[in-house]
Amino acid sequence: MKIVVVGYALTSKKIKSFLQPKLEGIARNKGILFVAIDQTKPLSDQGPFDIVLHKLSGKEWQHVLEDYRQTHPDVTVLDPPDAIQHVYNRQSMLEDVADLNLSDAYGKVGVPRQLVIKKDPSSIPDAVNSAGLRLPLVAKPLVAKSHELSLAYDQYSLKKLEPPLVLQEFINHGGVLFKVYIVGEAIKVVRRFSLPDVSKPELLKNAGVFRFPRVSCAAATADEADLDPSVAELPPRPLLEKLARELRRRLGLRLFNLDIIREHGSADKYYVIDINYFPGYGKMPEYEHIFTDFLLSLARSK
Ligand SMILES: Nc1ncnc2c1ncn2[C@@H]1O[C@H](COP(=O)(O)OP(=O)(O)OP(=O)(O)O)[C@@H](O)[C@H]1O
Ligand SMILES: O=P(O)(O)O[C@H]1[C@H](O)[C@H](O)[C@H](OP(=O)(O)O)[C@@H](OP(=O)(O)O)[C@@H]1O
């Protein structure tokens, strides 16, 4: 059996959460060898690799990978740097979902209405008014690496925000979010607790902008919770498969997840609110076999 050599360039945090002993053991049994890339040495002097798996920040690494792809077209880079940059920006990340305008018998998938504010916080109230955005609004840094999010209840307090940012209409979704992990053609969905709905009386009673923590992290799993079925019911599988297939193609990514919410009170109106490249796969059910089978399929398709 030909050994599939996977070079990886990951942060120590990601190595700890992703390259778990169970994954390496299952990989070895399937003929896959994970080899750490030495970031202090030229990438071309290392390997040879069948696949390069990476998630590092910085322009330097991006250039190293782009040069490597030119000189090693036979090596699969997961995923291409330019495709990754596209989803690191909270404006461009959702453009493909909006353009897709997916609507079929299983439901409709869109994105919340949003507005990009590049600078001048004093201009925000008028800009929100002109765009006709409905309060409350979620304020998110334009660059997706930052997770400092806020919820704004009135437009005048928006002046306190610090551009560049995206202002996104808050969609009531019953306090449950669907994290859709994608590995090539494989899809796994988990439920996470999310921000609670904001009622009209609450909106009228509250004023200001409030920072909130990472409410939907793995510790906020809702998979075992006793939830209202209409809120907790997973999005239809055929809808997710069509959405994932289209986004794989349009985004040029094989390793990403989608954060999806369903409008509370609607049976079939979904919104993609976030896309992460190479997310926390260590928390994806059955990720070891899913991931290693994907790597084998890549190696065989060359
Ligand atoms: N438009 C929205 N409507 C309703 N809730 C939202 C919206 N956008 C974000 N949220 C809430 O804020 C949380 C974080 O949003 P988002 O995923 O965009 O930011 P993030 O910093 O990437 O978070 P994470 O890294 O945890 O995914 C979501 O899990 C959800 O609870
Ligand atoms: O708890 P979750 O799975 O929601 O948190 C993820 C987070 O959304 C990001 O995907 C992190 O990946 P990075 O952005 O690369 O840090 C994951 O970190 P990881 O070290 O577990 O891969 C979080 O788990």
Side-chain angles (χ1 to χ4, degrees):
M1 167 170 60
K2 180 185 177 304
I3 296 295
V4 176
V5 182
V6 180
Y8 64 88
L10 302 169
T11 61
S12 53
K13 171 181 178 287
K14 186 65 84 177
I15 290 170
K16 188 166 176 291
S17 66
F18 173 72
L19 266 180
Q20 297 173 29
K22 184 179 175 188
L23 171 71
E24 291 202 281
I26 289 172
R28 197 177 312 110
N29 292 342
K30 294 184 179 180
I32 298 169
L33 181 63
F34 286 102
V35 176
I37 286 170
D38 183 339
Q39 294 163 46
T40 64
K41 292 180 183 156
L43 185 50
S44 296
D45 294 352
Q46 304 180 56
F49 303 120
D50 296 294
I51 297 165
V52 167
L53 183 62
H54 70 102
K55 185 172 187 178
L56 294 175
S57 52
K59 286 282 180 208
E60 178 56 29
W61 174 249
Q62 201 174 318
H63 294 147
V64 163
L65 265 187
E66 277 154 0
D67 293 348
Y68 183 78
R69 292 183 73 210
Q70 295 302 319
T71 54
H72 298 72
D74 57 324
V75 178
T76 303
V77 172
L78 280 179
D79 275 308
D82 52 352
I84 296 168
Q85 288 315 308
H86 186 77
V87 297
Y88 268 160
N89 175 296
R90 283 199 169 94
Q91 178 181 24
S92 56
M93 97 166 43
L94 296 181
E95 282 168 352
D96 296 280
V97 181
D99 294 349
L100 187 54
N101 194 21
L102 178 56
S103 179
D104 66 11
Y106 293 99
K108 179 173 172 45
V109 181
V111 298
R113 293 176 65 225
Q114 66 182 31
L115 178 66
V116 173
I117 305 286
K118 293 269 175 68
K119 54 188 179 185
D120 185 13
S122 63
S123 71
I124 298 180
D126 288 346
V128 164
N129 226 12
S130 308
L133 290 192
R134 182 181 43 79
L135 290 163
L137 297 174
V138 187
K140 308 182 182 184
L142 191 56
V143 176
K145 290 178 202 141
S146 165
H147 303 284
E148 296 184 3
L149 275 62
S150 306
L151 192 57
Y153 287 90
D154 74 284
Q155 67 188 69
Y156 298 102
S157 51
L158 291 169
K159 290 179 183 174
K160 302 173 197 164
L161 293 170
E162 294 170 19
L165 52 84
V166 167
L167 289 173
Q168 202 176 72
E169 284 188 344
F170 180 88
I171 311 283
N172 280 340
H173 54 286
V176 172
L177 169 136
F178 305 107
K179 202 167 269 281
V180 183
Y181 291 100
I182 292 160
V183 178
E185 296 184 5
I187 297 172
K188 278 286 181 191
V189 189
V190 298
R191 294 180 190 85
R192 296 278 177 84
F193 286 112
S194 185
L195 285 179
D197 290 353
V198 176
S199 67
K200 285 245 184 307
E202 277 172 305
L203 180 57
L204 296 172
K205 185 176 66 181
N206 285 300
V209 175
F210 303 91
R211 280 279 305 278
F212 60 87
R214 296 185 75 167
V215 292
S216 306
C217 64
T221 176
D223 277 334
E224 308 307 323
D226 179 19
L227 300 168
D228 171 348
S230 67
V231 164
E233 184 183 12
L234 295 180
R237 185 83 194 176
L239 189 67
L240 292 182
E241 283 171 351
K242 188 186 290 184
L243 177 64
R245 185 170 57 248
E246 277 299 323
L247 287 183
R248 266 196 307 271
R249 186 173 60 81
R250 292 168 182 242
L251 295 172
L253 289 176
R254 276 76 55 104
L255 301 179
F256 60 102
N257 75 357
L258 305 171
D259 287 348
I260 296 179
I261 56 179
R262 178 172 46 230
E263 186 170 326
H264 200 177
S266 153
D268 60 1
K269 273 184 78 179
Y270 297 92
Y271 295 87
V272 176
I273 58 169
D274 190 21
I275 300 176
N276 290 294
Y277 162 65
F278 201 144
Y281 283 120
K283 301 180 183 91
M284 169 182 165
E286 304 159 49
Y287 93 103
E288 298 89 351
H289 280 292
I290 290 171
F291 214 97
T292 48
D293 287 347
F294 171 60
L295 294 172
L296 287 176
S297 70
L298 279 181
R300 288 182 188 132
S301 65
K302 289 181 1 172

mmCIF file of all heavy atoms in Angstrom, residues 130-153:
data_model
loop_
_atom_site.group_PDB
_atom_site.id
_atom_site.type_symbol
_atom_site.label_atom_id
_atom_site.label_comp_id
_atom_site.label_asym_id
_atom_site.label_seq_id
_atom_site.Cartn_x
_atom_site.Cartn_y
_atom_site.Cartn_z
ATOM 1 N N SER A 130 -30.256 54.746 6.467
ATOM 2 C CA SER A 130 -30.353 54.754 4.989
ATOM 3 C C SER A 130 -30.492 53.334 4.439
ATOM 4 O O SER A 130 -31.221 53.100 3.482
ATOM 5 C CB SER A 130 -29.105 55.413 4.383
ATOM 6 O OG SER A 130 -28.900 56.658 4.979
ATOM 7 N N ALA A 131 -29.795 52.395 5.109
ATOM 8 C CA ALA A 131 -29.847 50.999 4.614
ATOM 9 C C ALA A 131 -31.136 50.309 5.043
ATOM 10 O O ALA A 131 -31.470 49.225 4.563
ATOM 11 C CB ALA A 131 -28.634 50.227 5.138
ATOM 12 N N GLY A 132 -31.863 50.938 5.974
ATOM 13 C CA GLY A 132 -33.138 50.355 6.439
ATOM 14 C C GLY A 132 -32.924 49.089 7.259
ATOM 15 O O GLY A 132 -33.782 48.203 7.302
ATOM 16 N N LEU A 133 -31.741 48.997 7.915
ATOM 17 C CA LEU A 133 -31.494 47.806 8.743
ATOM 18 C C LEU A 133 -32.372 47.863 9.992
ATOM 19 O O LEU A 133 -32.558 48.922 10.588
ATOM 20 C CB LEU A 133 -30.017 47.726 9.152
ATOM 21 C CG LEU A 133 -28.978 47.397 8.082
ATOM 22 C CD1 LEU A 133 -27.643 47.083 8.737
ATOM 23 C CD2 LEU A 133 -29.421 46.231 7.205
ATOM 24 N N ARG A 134 -32.864 46.697 10.380
ATOM 25 C CA ARG A 134 -33.784 46.582 11.521
ATOM 26 C C ARG A 134 -32.986 46.219 12.782
ATOM 27 O O ARG A 134 -32.160 45.343 12.762
ATOM 28 C CB ARG A 134 -34.781 45.473 11.163
ATOM 29 C CG ARG A 134 -35.866 45.177 12.158
ATOM 30 C CD ARG A 134 -36.755 44.039 11.655
ATOM 31 N NE ARG A 134 -35.994 42.946 11.058
ATOM 32 C CZ ARG A 134 -35.356 42.021 11.792
ATOM 33 N NH1 ARG A 134 -35.348 42.111 13.113
ATOM 34 N NH2 ARG A 134 -34.673 41.049 11.202
ATOM 35 N N LEU A 135 -33.237 46.907 13.876
ATOM 36 C CA LEU A 135 -32.585 46.607 15.157
ATOM 37 C C LEU A 135 -33.238 45.367 15.782
ATOM 38 O O LEU A 135 -34.409 45.064 15.452
ATOM 39 C CB LEU A 135 -32.754 47.816 16.102
ATOM 40 C CG LEU A 135 -31.949 49.060 15.713
ATOM 41 C CD1 LEU A 135 -32.501 50.284 16.449
ATOM 42 C CD2 LEU A 135 -30.483 48.876 16.030
ATOM 43 N N PRO A 136 -32.513 44.635 16.665
ATOM 44 C CA PRO A 136 -31.121 44.872 17.061
ATOM 45 C C PRO A 136 -30.143 44.433 15.968
ATOM 46 O O PRO A 136 -30.497 43.646 15.087
ATOM 47 C CB PRO A 136 -30.968 44.027 18.322
ATOM 48 C CG PRO A 136 -31.952 42.924 18.155
ATOM 49 C CD PRO A 136 -33.104 43.499 17.356
ATOM 50 N N LEU A 137 -28.924 44.908 16.089
ATOM 51 C CA LEU A 137 -27.874 44.580 15.133
ATOM 52 C C LEU A 137 -26.718 43.913 15.859
ATOM 53 O O LEU A 137 -26.396 44.253 16.993
ATOM 54 C CB LEU A 137 -27.364 45.869 14.461
ATOM 55 C CG LEU A 137 -28.378 46.654 13.631
ATOM 56 C CD1 LEU A 137 -27.770 47.978 13.166
ATOM 57 C CD2 LEU A 137 -28.842 45.843 12.428
ATOM 58 N N VAL A 138 -26.102 42.938 15.170
ATOM 59 C CA VAL A 138 -24.884 42.316 15.695
ATOM 60 C C VAL A 138 -23.703 43.031 15.026
ATOM 61 O O VAL A 138 -23.685 43.143 13.794
ATOM 62 C CB VAL A 138 -24.821 40.808 15.384
ATOM 63 C CG1 VAL A 138 -23.622 40.164 16.092
ATOM 64 C CG2 VAL A 138 -26.111 40.114 15.806
ATOM 65 N N ALA A 139 -22.790 43.531 15.834
ATOM 66 C CA ALA A 139 -21.600 44.209 15.294
ATOM 67 C C ALA A 139 -20.433 43.232 15.356
ATOM 68 O O ALA A 139 -20.138 42.678 16.431
ATOM 69 C CB ALA A 139 -21.293 45.456 16.113
ATOM 70 N N LYS A 140 -19.812 42.980 14.183
ATOM 71 C CA LYS A 140 -18.714 42.001 14.116
ATOM 72 C C LYS A 140 -17.509 42.662 13.438
ATOM 73 O O LYS A 140 -17.675 43.327 12.404
ATOM 74 C CB LYS A 140 -19.121 40.784 13.270
ATOM 75 C CG LYS A 140 -20.443 40.128 13.660
ATOM 76 C CD LYS A 140 -20.738 38.902 12.797
ATOM 77 C CE LYS A 140 -22.078 38.287 13.171
ATOM 78 N NZ LYS A 140 -22.354 37.028 12.413
ATOM 79 N N PRO A 141 -16.309 42.473 14.008
ATOM 80 C CA PRO A 141 -15.121 43.014 13.336
ATOM 81 C C PRO A 141 -15.064 42.488 11.898
ATOM 82 O O PRO A 141 -15.412 41.322 11.651
ATOM 83 C CB PRO A 141 -13.958 42.473 14.163
ATOM 84 C CG PRO A 141 -14.548 42.162 15.499
ATOM 85 C CD PRO A 141 -15.961 41.723 15.228
ATOM 86 N N LEU A 142 -14.660 43.334 10.955
ATOM 87 C CA LEU A 142 -14.662 42.934 9.539
ATOM 88 C C LEU A 142 -13.741 41.724 9.311
ATOM 89 O O LEU A 142 -14.067 40.827 8.542
ATOM 90 C CB LEU A 142 -14.218 44.105 8.661
ATOM 91 C CG LEU A 142 -14.403 43.968 7.155
ATOM 92 C CD1 LEU A 142 -15.850 43.664 6.783
ATOM 93 C CD2 LEU A 142 -13.932 45.231 6.426
ATOM 94 N N VAL A 143 -12.616 41.704 10.034
ATOM 95 C CA VAL A 143 -11.696 40.567 9.893
ATOM 96 C C VAL A 143 -12.138 39.470 10.865
ATOM 97 O O VAL A 143 -12.257 39.700 12.067
ATOM 98 C CB VAL A 143 -10.239 40.987 10.194
ATOM 99 C CG1 VAL A 143 -9.308 39.769 10.130
ATOM 100 C CG2 VAL A 143 -9.804 42.055 9.201
ATOM 101 N N ALA A 144 -12.391 38.281 10.297
ATOM 102 C CA ALA A 144 -13.077 37.232 11.080
ATOM 103 C C ALA A 144 -12.207 36.610 12.165
ATOM 104 O O ALA A 144 -12.689 35.798 12.940
ATOM 105 C CB ALA A 144 -13.571 36.141 10.135
ATOM 106 N N LYS A 145 -10.914 37.000 12.228
ATOM 107 C CA LYS A 145 -10.091 36.364 13.264
ATOM 108 C C LYS A 145 -10.451 36.893 14.649
ATOM 109 O O LYS A 145 -10.191 36.269 15.652
ATOM 110 C CB LYS A 145 -8.606 36.612 12.981
ATOM 111 C CG LYS A 145 -8.107 35.860 11.761
ATOM 112 C CD LYS A 145 -6.648 36.168 11.482
ATOM 113 C CE LYS A 145 -6.313 35.872 10.018
ATOM 114 N NZ LYS A 145 -5.422 36.868 9.459
ATOM 115 N N SER A 146 -11.068 38.096 14.668
ATOM 116 C CA SER A 146 -11.430 38.663 15.969
ATOM 117 C C SER A 146 -12.857 38.233 16.309
ATOM 118 O O SER A 146 -13.738 38.214 15.449
ATOM 119 C CB SER A 146 -11.364 40.193 15.916
ATOM 120 O OG SER A 146 -12.045 40.713 17.054
ATOM 121 N N HIS A 147 -13.041 37.883 17.579
ATOM 122 C CA HIS A 147 -14.364 37.402 18.010
ATOM 123 C C HIS A 147 -15.000 38.364 18.988
ATOM 124 O O HIS A 147 -15.773 37.949 19.842
ATOM 125 C CB HIS A 147 -14.212 36.007 18.630
ATOM 126 C CG HIS A 147 -13.583 35.023 17.685
ATOM 127 N ND1 HIS A 147 -14.268 34.459 16.632
ATOM 128 C CD2 HIS A 147 -12.333 34.537 17.615
ATOM 129 C CE1 HIS A 147 -13.465 33.645 15.967
ATOM 130 N NE2 HIS A 147 -12.281 33.677 16.533
ATOM 131 N N GLU A 148 -14.666 39.659 18.859
ATOM 132 C CA GLU A 148 -15.237 40.653 19.780
ATOM 133 C C GLU A 148 -16.545 41.179 19.206
ATOM 134 O O GLU A 148 -16.572 42.165 18.484
ATOM 135 C CB GLU A 148 -14.228 41.784 19.982
ATOM 136 C CG GLU A 148 -12.956 41.270 20.678
ATOM 137 C CD GLU A 148 -11.975 42.382 20.972
ATOM 138 O OE1 GLU A 148 -12.322 43.558 20.690
ATOM 139 O OE2 GLU A 148 -10.899 42.097 21.458
ATOM 140 N N LEU A 149 -17.614 40.476 19.527
ATOM 141 C CA LEU A 149 -18.926 40.823 18.974
ATOM 142 C C LEU A 149 -19.758 41.590 19.982
ATOM 143 O O LEU A 149 -19.605 41.428 21.188
ATOM 144 C CB LEU A 149 -19.663 39.544 18.571
ATOM 145 C CG LEU A 149 -19.331 38.996 17.179
ATOM 146 C CD1 LEU A 149 -17.889 38.619 17.038
ATOM 147 C CD2 LEU A 149 -20.205 37.828 16.837
ATOM 148 N N SER A 150 -20.664 42.424 19.428
ATOM 149 C CA SER A 150 -21.562 43.211 20.286
ATOM 150 C C SER A 150 -22.967 43.173 19.710
ATOM 151 O O SER A 150 -23.158 42.931 18.524
ATOM 152 C CB SER A 150 -21.107 44.681 20.339
ATOM 153 O OG SER A 150 -19.760 44.783 20.724
ATOM 154 N N LEU A 151 -23.929 43.413 20.607
ATOM 155 C CA LEU A 151 -25.333 43.483 20.190
ATOM 156 C C LEU A 151 -25.795 44.912 20.459
ATOM 157 O O LEU A 151 -25.631 45.420 21.579
ATOM 158 C CB LEU A 151 -26.169 42.472 20.990
ATOM 159 C CG LEU A 151 -27.591 42.180 20.515
ATOM 160 C CD1 LEU A 151 -27.608 41.700 19.068
ATOM 161 C CD2 LEU A 151 -28.247 41.154 21.421
ATOM 162 N N ALA A 152 -26.310 45.559 19.408
ATOM 163 C CA ALA A 152 -26.728 46.968 19.544
ATOM 164 C C ALA A 152 -28.255 47.047 19.529
ATOM 165 O O ALA A 152 -28.901 46.507 18.623
ATOM 166 C CB ALA A 152 -26.148 47.782 18.399
ATOM 167 N N TYR A 153 -28.823 47.708 20.538
ATOM 168 C CA TYR A 153 -30.283 47.801 20.675
ATOM 169 C C TYR A 153 -30.843 49.110 20.138
ATOM 170 O O TYR A 153 -32.026 49.234 19.861
ATOM 171 C CB TYR A 153 -30.681 47.677 22.160
ATOM 172 C CG TYR A 153 -30.542 46.286 22.699
ATOM 173 C CD1 TYR A 153 -29.363 45.860 23.281
ATOM 174 C CD2 TYR A 153 -31.602 45.378 22.620
ATOM 175 C CE1 TYR A 153 -29.226 44.575 23.782
ATOM 176 C CE2 TYR A 153 -31.484 44.097 23.126
ATOM 177 C CZ TYR A 153 -30.287 43.702 23.697
ATOM 178 O OH TYR A 153 -30.155 42.436 24.174
#
